[in-house]
Amino acid sequence: MSTTRRQFLHASTATALGGSTGWCRSADDDLAAAAPAASVSIAFSRFDLGIASGSPTADSVVLWTRLTGSDLPTRVEVQWELAHDEAFTRIAARGTDMAAASWAHSVHAQPRGLEPGRWYWYRFQALGERSATGRTRTAPRPNARATTPLRFAIASCQRYDAGHYAAWRDVAEQNLDLVMFLGDYIYEGASRSDFPRRHEGGEAHDLESYRARYATYKRDPLLQAAHASAPWLMVWDDHEVENDYAGLQDPRLDPLFPARRAAAYQAYWEHMPFPKAARPRFDTPGGAMRITGRLDWGSLARIHLLDGRQHRDPQACPRPGRGGSNTVKSAECAALLDPRRTLLGAEQERWLAEGWDLHRPWNLLAQQTLMARHSWTDTADGGGTYWSDGWDGYPLARQRLLGAVAKRRVPGVVVLGGDVHAHVVADLKADFDRPESPTVATEFCGTSIASHGRPQELLDMARTFNPHIQLSRSDRRGCMLFTLDAEHLQVALRAVDDVNDPASNVRTSASFVVEADRPGAIAA
Ligand code: FE
Ligand code: CA
């Protein structure tokens, strides 16, 4: 039996046992160690950016690949097939898609009529070559009673030149139901000479250079293994376009920024397993792409996917002559307390407020950045000091969101985020200035896959000003692993020992539990 076969049999067993083999298997488990090699050892020139699946529903999932080669015709027929078994003896669906040069020869196949809550294997064929095989699944039927827990990871901020992707090897080894990628899939900047890896080109700024940047990232075998292991849900943050952009404004106040954003949105869609319906439109400046969405996972959870970039107001109180983020004292920045300012935009705010699930035990909010108040100075001193790019820059929008959760008693709200390059575990308060006020939701902000964090001493100091933050560790790279059932959410904060080593050990650095009817994280 091949290692791949064994890996997937093992995966099915783990699923059947309700994931009881868990996410704490040691890294020297031979099956676990074999997983990435099995997924990445098959390389084909036309498919060297790998394969991926994503945006699952109860009856469909998007299958992605992108053909490469400078000699590709303008249009290429690509066959895809989806099977019940890894040997493809029982085909569930097959079809043909056209890969067009105008969309970078990407494929976003959408098999229909699949069975809910089932595992599938998929692969592609084009120009006489066959891709590697990926493992994916559909969501359970929306009213299906949960018999097995939902096991998923959150990850973000995978700056390629800053390190290697041992964290992705860890994700691939877990045989998860879902991977949620919460932003900064690429970094647009030039590669730094003091970093362990290099990539092509300077700063990405047009369609060609964004495409090239995605190609660099997607050639990483450990990232490919993570994609091949489970369906992904994706939201973007700023670096998919440009650091600190807000709507149609960039930090340089460049009048040509809308054209750059449109190119970046196109390259993003081309490289991610989004459905065809999500393809960006270019009939307005800057283009438009909808990443906001919802997925109901059986009777267990409603997952809300938010866009904190495309529709936000510009950051408050920027440096003179600039846009983008700043570190501002609350007492010196009246705009911070302007109730009209939003992070999500009025329409998306309303969409969220109207779509909370009051029946399922959990509402998972997959979004970009840290929601908990995080003052860098004592708040008794003029109200505190804040980084204006995160939710701290939009405190009244945050209060509206958490206020609605409290008022409507929305069950099991768990905010998932990235962006700050630190593991952060926080209790989200009805009023952050009154530590005794009720906790209305729980927050888990995953650290970066590779991007560097701020000095740990700064975070340690800030903890004293933010008692609702239970843990903040910027000196860890990795991800977070979750196991969700109707009563509990278990969380493992995964930490890579050495980000410069793709073979690095990855371990659980801390564990937490959230009880379904009681917001707030409990150290486990
Ligand atoms: Fe980042
Ligand atoms: Ca970011």
Side-chain angles (χ1 to χ4, degrees):
M1 195 189 296
S2 72
T3 40
T4 319
R5 180 96 184 112
R6 282 198 294 135
Q7 177 207 348
F8 288 130
L9 283 176
H10 184 71
S12 324
T13 314
T15 309
L17 293 174
S20 62
T21 50
W23 16 258
C24 294
R25 269 182 298 150
S26 68
D28 56 10
D29 179 320
D30 69 326
L31 287 168
S39 310
V40 302
S41 59
I42 320 154
F44 300 88
S45 61
R46 296 298 183 188
F47 295 102
D48 67 344
L49 302 187
I51 54 171
S53 73
S55 312
T57 64
D59 67 354
S60 186
V61 63
V62 177
L63 311 177
W64 175 93
T65 192
R66 178 191 161 194
L67 305 179
T68 58
S70 54
D71 57 339
L72 286 174
T74 312
R75 291 163 70 78
V76 184
E77 267 195 10
V78 181
Q79 276 86 42
W80 52 266
E81 52 187 353
L82 189 82
H84 292 290
D85 60 326
E86 199 209 349
F88 290 85
T89 56
R90 291 196 303 129
I91 300 294
R94 54 161 57 106
T96 302
D97 264 49
M98 199 61 77
S102 51
W103 296 96
H105 291 100
S106 62
V107 177
H108 304 251
Q110 292 175 262
R112 300 280 182 199
L114 303 181
E115 294 167 43
R118 285 289 297 259
W119 286 101
Y120 293 97
W121 282 261
Y122 65 97
R123 63 187 179 189
F124 301 90
Q125 209 171 310
L127 302 170
E129 292 183 24
R130 181 178 278 164
S131 74
T133 294
R135 170 184 178 269
T136 192
R137 62 162 299 162
T138 49
R141 211 187 304 276
N143 56 2
R145 226 170 44 105
T147 51
T148 53
L150 165 62
R151 296 172 59 249
F152 66 98
I154 63 167
S156 59
C157 297
Q158 54 167 341
R159 182 162 177 158
Y160 178 89
D161 48 338
H164 282 275
Y165 290 167
W168 282 132
R169 199 196 67 238
D170 183 40
V171 167
E173 287 168 358
Q174 307 296 334
N175 294 311
L176 300 166
D177 296 301
L178 280 177
V179 174
M180 299 187 198
F181 192 84
L182 303 181
D184 291 356
Y185 191 95
I186 58 160
Y187 282 71
E188 80 285 10
S191 122
R192 273 176 52 167
S193 57
D194 57 332
F195 277 7
R197 292 209 276 188
R198 295 290 179 85
H199 58 64
E200 83 309 322
E203 186 167 329
H205 62 281
D206 60 8
L207 187 54
E208 192 189 359
S209 50
Y210 281 112
R211 283 173 172 172
R213 188 59 47 85
Y214 280 99
T216 297
Y217 279 60
K218 287 209 163 257
R219 284 194 174 90
D220 184 285
L222 299 178
L223 173 59
Q224 290 188 6
H227 274 297
S229 73
W232 284 34
L233 297 174
M234 297 122 329
V235 296
W236 55 30
D237 194 29
D238 51 347
H239 287 287
E240 283 86 351
V241 182
E242 184 187 351
N243 180 44
D244 276 358
Y245 89 91
L248 287 170
Q249 180 184 292
D250 84 332
R252 288 177 270 218
L253 305 177
D254 182 351
L256 300 178
F257 177 72
R260 180 180 181 178
R261 189 184 96 163
Y265 280 11
Q266 177 169 346
Y268 179 71
W269 181 84
E270 287 170 348
H271 292 85
M272 297 291 139
F274 277 104
K276 293 183 179 83
R279 199 162 69 180
R281 291 178 307 114
F282 303 111
D283 43 10
T284 49
M289 177 172 163
R290 185 182 170 92
I291 64 165
T292 305
R294 277 196 183 98
L295 170 61
D296 287 339
W297 195 268
S299 60
L300 188 60
R302 175 165 288 180
I303 304 167
H304 312 258
L305 298 154
L306 300 184
D307 182 346
R309 282 289 160 192
Q310 188 172 193
H311 311 294
R312 67 157 74 189
D313 287 308
Q315 295 88 345
C317 307
R319 281 160 284 177
R322 301 263 307 170
S325 71
N326 199 358
T327 303
V328 294
K329 283 204 164 78
S330 157
E332 295 167 7
C333 179
L336 273 186
L337 296 178
D338 181 341
R340 291 166 301 182
R341 295 181 61 254
T342 78
L343 184 80
L344 301 175
E347 193 185 321
Q348 190 179 204
E349 256 193 40
R350 201 162 43 240
W351 173 89
L352 181 63
E354 289 166 0
W356 290 115
D357 191 331
L358 303 179
H359 303 291
R360 291 179 178 81
W362 300 100
N363 280 270
L364 308 180
L365 213 56
Q367 50 89 56
Q368 290 74 20
T369 189
L370 183 69
M371 188 174 283
R373 190 201 73 189
H374 190 277
S375 178
W376 293 99
T377 58
D378 193 338
T379 52
D381 174 24
T385 307
Y386 301 97
W387 182 54
S388 63
D389 192 60
W391 280 99
D392 275 336
Y394 304 80
L396 296 189
R398 173 174 62 200
Q399 203 170 72
R400 282 194 294 274
L401 193 158
L402 293 174
V405 167
K407 190 169 166 219
R408 303 189 61 198
R409 300 178 186 278
V410 181
V413 176
V414 179
V415 176
L416 307 168
D419 185 38
V420 296
H421 306 175
H423 276 317
V424 182
V425 177
D427 296 337
L428 297 176
K429 291 285 178 180
D431 181 354
F432 288 107
D433 292 329
R434 290 191 307 114
E436 71 282 7
S437 76
T439 296
V440 301
T442 319
E443 174 162 39
F444 294 96
C445 197
T447 190
S448 54
I449 291 284
S451 311
H452 292 192
R454 306 205 62 192
Q456 182 62 37
E457 306 86 78
L458 292 179
L459 274 72
D460 289 341
M461 193 180 66
R463 282 269 318 279
T464 59
F465 311 132
N466 304 288
H468 49 275
I469 293 182
Q470 298 203 28
L471 174 147
S472 56
R473 290 297 295 262
S474 59
D475 55 347
R476 303 264 195 259
R477 311 280 68 82
C479 66
M480 287 189 185
L481 299 175
F482 297 81
T483 303
L484 182 71
D485 63 30
E487 283 85 41
H488 300 100
L489 175 66
Q490 292 169 260
V491 189
L493 279 56
R494 299 289 282 175
V496 172
D497 283 341
D498 179 5
V499 74
N500 293 326
D501 177 9
S504 170
N505 185 46
V506 184
R507 66 203 157 73
T508 296
S509 60
S511 302
F512 288 84
V513 174
V514 183
E515 292 170 6
D517 48 5
R518 197 178 143 223
I522 304 161

